[in-house]
Amino acid sequence: MAYSNIVVSRAAFGDESSRSLYDDVDRGRELKKVFSDFDELLGTEPVGELLPWLGWVDALRGLEGKVQRTFEAIDSVLEKVIDDHRHHREGGPQMGADDNHQDFVDVLLDINKMDMDGGIQLDTIEIKAIILV
């Protein structure tokens, strides 16, 4: 599982960004927990969705807090990855040896840059959503 997480992260975020996410052992474990929580929440049906008058049960069992914590953690990871890519594209420190290598985040940033005239505008929020899908 760890290997597949690293492979998918490298394909989506690039070598350098994914390496910075998983280099520290504690940070790697933290990310594994966040992605595990995210996966678990995707399959969780809130009671308040089925029976709105019992929505308080979700707060009581800690679901709302877990959703908020997981969202904030994933949002900060994606924000860091996108900012790293933008910094690299603006001539910041070189992220890797191969400057022609493009990952998924680079492609999304290129679409945003090239298609402004065509009517496609991908803001940071849209880029994060596409990455999560």
Side-chain angles (χ1 to χ4, degrees), residues 47-77:
V47 175
E49 292 287 321
L50 298 171
L51 304 167
W53 55 275
L54 286 177
W56 57 271
V57 173
D58 294 328
L60 186 64
R61 65 183 191 159
L63 184 63
E64 291 177 4
K66 187 173 187 177
V67 166
Q68 186 64 33
R69 285 189 305 275
T70 304
F71 165 76
E72 289 171 358
I74 288 177
D75 187 61
S76 69
V77 167

Side-chain angles (χ1 to χ4, degrees), residues 62-116:
L63 184 63
E64 291 177 4
K66 187 173 187 177
V67 166
Q68 186 64 33
R69 285 189 305 275
T70 304
F71 165 76
E72 289 171 358
I74 288 177
D75 187 61
S76 69
V77 167
L78 293 176
E79 190 74 39
K80 180 187 180 317
V81 168
I82 293 169
D83 285 345
D84 286 349
H85 279 75
R86 283 190 174 138
H87 182 69
H88 174 67
R89 294 164 72 87
E90 293 170 357
Q94 298 301 320
M95 289 179 75
D98 184 9
D99 291 335
N100 295 326
H101 172 74
Q102 285 200 321
D103 53 52
F104 190 57
V105 176
D106 288 322
V107 171
L108 292 174
L109 290 172
D110 281 345
I111 289 172
N112 188 37
K113 184 178 178 182
M114 291 186 302
D115 290 338
M116 281 185 191

